[in-house]
Every structure is written in C-alpha cells, then in structure tokens.
Amino acid sequence: RLVTERGEARRQLGRDLHDDVGQQLTAMVHQLEHLKKIMQKDPHGAESTFSSMNQQLVHLTTHVRELAHQLFPPELELLGLAGALRERILTHPNLKVILDAPEDLPGLPAEIETAVYYIALEALTNIEKHAQAQSCHIDLRLNASQPFPMLELSIRDDGQGLAEPSA
C-alpha cells in the first residue's frame, strides 16, 4: 500500500512540475523579454521588474527543492535510513528520542526507505504536538527470518494517549 501511495505521490509531483513549475518558468521567459524592452527605454525603471523576477526565482528554486525532496530525501542517500533519522531527531530538542537501529542496516529500495522515513517523521511531529510526551523510543529492525525480509518500525512514547470515546 505504501509503495502504491508513493507511486501516486510521484505522479502528483510530475503534474506539479509540469503544471506549476513549467508555467512559472514560461512566465519568467516572457518577463525577461519584457524586461529587455524596459531596459532599452528606462534602465532605472527596470529595477522593480528585476527585483520581482529575482524574488520569483528564489521562490521557484525553493519549490523545486521541496518537490525533489519529496521524491527522495537526499539525506537518505547520504546517511542511509538510520543516519537520516538520527539527524532528524536532533530537530526535536523538546523530546528525548532514543533510536534503536542497527548501524549496518543494508540499503533498501528507495520507496521503502522513503515511506519509513516519512512515517517516522510524521510520528515524531504528532508526538511532539499532541501527546504531551517527554520521551519517545523508535525501534527499527530488519527481520530477515521471514520468507521475505521485513522492515519493522515501532514508535512508542510516554505521552497521555487518546481520550476514551464517550458513550
């Protein structure tokens, strides 16, 4: 299911790149042509158009990086799954997080690593926002004794839990 969802997310990213980024780049080409005409007539007046285009390029660059990060976070390639999770744990200083993961975790298919990475990050965010927890334990294991190797992710916290539904 996760791999299928990631495939759908990739298709959506492809549409975003085509529809959003592609259109913005086309618009900027037209703005550059307009800027060239303005510069010939009024070089000082071109400054505001140039400044606007610069802001658009900075925004577009950030957007493209975010889209690329959604496809496959670069920290997974650089650090591996366990290393990338260790790095991200540092961004949650108000939560004592213990990561129990083998140092020699083999490389896994990108779709699996990406899904597990984002599941763990979402869990950390939810724990920090909603659980009023002080600590969290993330356990990552590769169980190779099954007919097919299975990656197991377990996340526990000492938070308040969910309220009982009223009858």
Side-chain angles (χ1 to χ4, degrees):
R1 190 185 96 228
L2 290 172
V3 172
T4 301
E5 288 174 9
R6 292 301 301 168
E8 180 54 36
R10 280 195 165 93
R11 282 188 287 283
Q12 180 61 45
L13 284 170
R15 287 190 294 270
D16 288 348
L17 283 170
H18 178 268
D19 297 342
D20 186 28
V21 175
Q23 288 178 0
Q24 288 183 46
L25 288 170
T26 300
M28 293 193 80
V29 167
H30 294 297
Q31 287 179 327
L32 279 171
E33 291 168 356
H34 179 68
L35 180 61
K36 184 178 178 182
K37 291 176 186 175
I38 292 174
M39 288 181 68
Q40 291 172 351
K41 295 178 184 174
D42 181 14
H44 296 294
E47 184 63 34
S48 66
T49 302
F50 177 79
S51 178
S52 172
M53 289 184 68
N54 189 53
Q55 289 176 348
Q56 289 175 36
L57 277 171
V58 168
H59 173 75
L60 187 58
T61 301
T62 302
H63 184 59
V64 168
R65 284 187 181 137
E66 289 169 355
L67 291 173
H69 193 273
Q70 289 175 29
L71 285 171
F72 187 72
E75 57 268 26
L76 286 177
E77 189 169 342
L78 294 171
L79 304 171
L81 179 57
L85 287 173
R86 283 186 184 88
E87 283 289 312
R88 276 310 198 93
I89 286 169
L90 299 174
T91 66
H92 295 272
N94 299 326
L95 187 63
K96 179 184 175 194
V97 182
I98 298 169
L99 174 63
D100 187 13
E103 291 294 328
D104 61 344
L105 187 66
L108 301 165
E111 293 83 5
I112 302 297
E113 284 191 349
T114 303
V116 169
Y117 180 70
Y118 281 125
I119 289 168
L121 296 186
E122 184 66 21
L124 282 173
T125 299
N126 288 338
I127 290 166
E128 200 166 51
K129 281 184 178 179
H130 306 294
Q132 297 177 353
Q134 301 298 312
S135 65
C136 170
H137 187 184
I138 300 173
D139 190 27
L140 189 61
R141 293 275 170 251
L142 184 61
N143 186 347
S145 65
Q146 303 291 323
F148 299 101
M150 183 181 297
L151 183 64
E152 299 172 0
L153 172 67
S154 170
I155 303 172
R156 298 179 307 279
D157 66 73
D158 62 357
Q160 65 183 5
L162 298 174
E164 292 293 321
S166 55

